[in-house]
Amino acid sequence: MSGHTLDPRIAGKLRRTDDGLIAAVVQDSATGRVLMMAWMDDAALAETLATRRGVYFSRSRGQRWVKGETSGHVQHVRAVEIDCDGDTVLLRVDQTGAACHKGTFSCFDTETLLGED
């Protein structure tokens, strides 16, 4: 348990999935490159806002996780924004090391389906 509680004013703006989660898109603060997509529950968002570390909720493990806690590939969170529908947050981060659990800088380094003109 993180010990952090989400401000009710923020919590009231969120539209969660049926299992209480919101999508989190993570972007490199310097380049704008999308690094990853993850899920957050209220506690993960509250801890992220309080500590400026990327904290998420793993649906497969059913628990909160701090990005880089075991790998050392931490995220310093510079900004957090809620989208117009309240169902997604955007985190702008300074990423240390790989953002992807497969060892690449971005989870979107796998395959390009349509390139730029």
Side-chain angles (χ1 to χ4, degrees):
M1 190 77 184
S2 72
H4 299 282
T5 304
L6 191 59
D7 182 315
R9 292 172 296 174
I10 297 169
K13 295 177 182 179
L14 300 177
R15 284 191 24 222
R16 297 160 192 82
T17 62
D18 290 342
D19 49 358
L21 304 175
I22 58 169
V25 175
V26 182
Q27 181 181 45
D28 182 88
S29 65
T31 66
R33 176 91 167 115
V34 174
L35 302 177
M36 57 183 267
M37 182 276 173
W39 295 97
M40 291 180 145
D41 60 5
D42 285 12
L45 180 56
E47 188 170 350
T48 296
L49 295 172
T51 65
R52 290 191 174 265
R53 298 235 3 228
V55 182
Y56 306 98
F57 186 85
S58 170
R59 294 182 304 166
S60 60
R61 294 186 305 247
Q63 66 185 25
R64 179 191 65 83
W65 57 281
V66 180
K67 181 70 175 163
E69 196 168 54
T70 56
S71 68
H73 298 164
V74 298
Q75 293 174 341
H76 172 74
V77 179
R78 295 226 172 244
V80 178
E81 298 176 59
I82 301 173
D83 80 332
C84 60
D85 294 321
D87 61 0
T88 305
V89 291
L90 174 66
L91 283 72
R92 291 194 181 96
V93 306
D94 293 335
Q95 177 69 47
T96 300
C100 183
H101 70 282
K102 293 189 174 196
T104 56
F105 183 69
S106 169
C107 291
F108 296 93
D109 288 343
T110 305
E111 184 177 354
T112 300
L113 301 180
L114 181 64
E116 295 182 39
D117 289 345

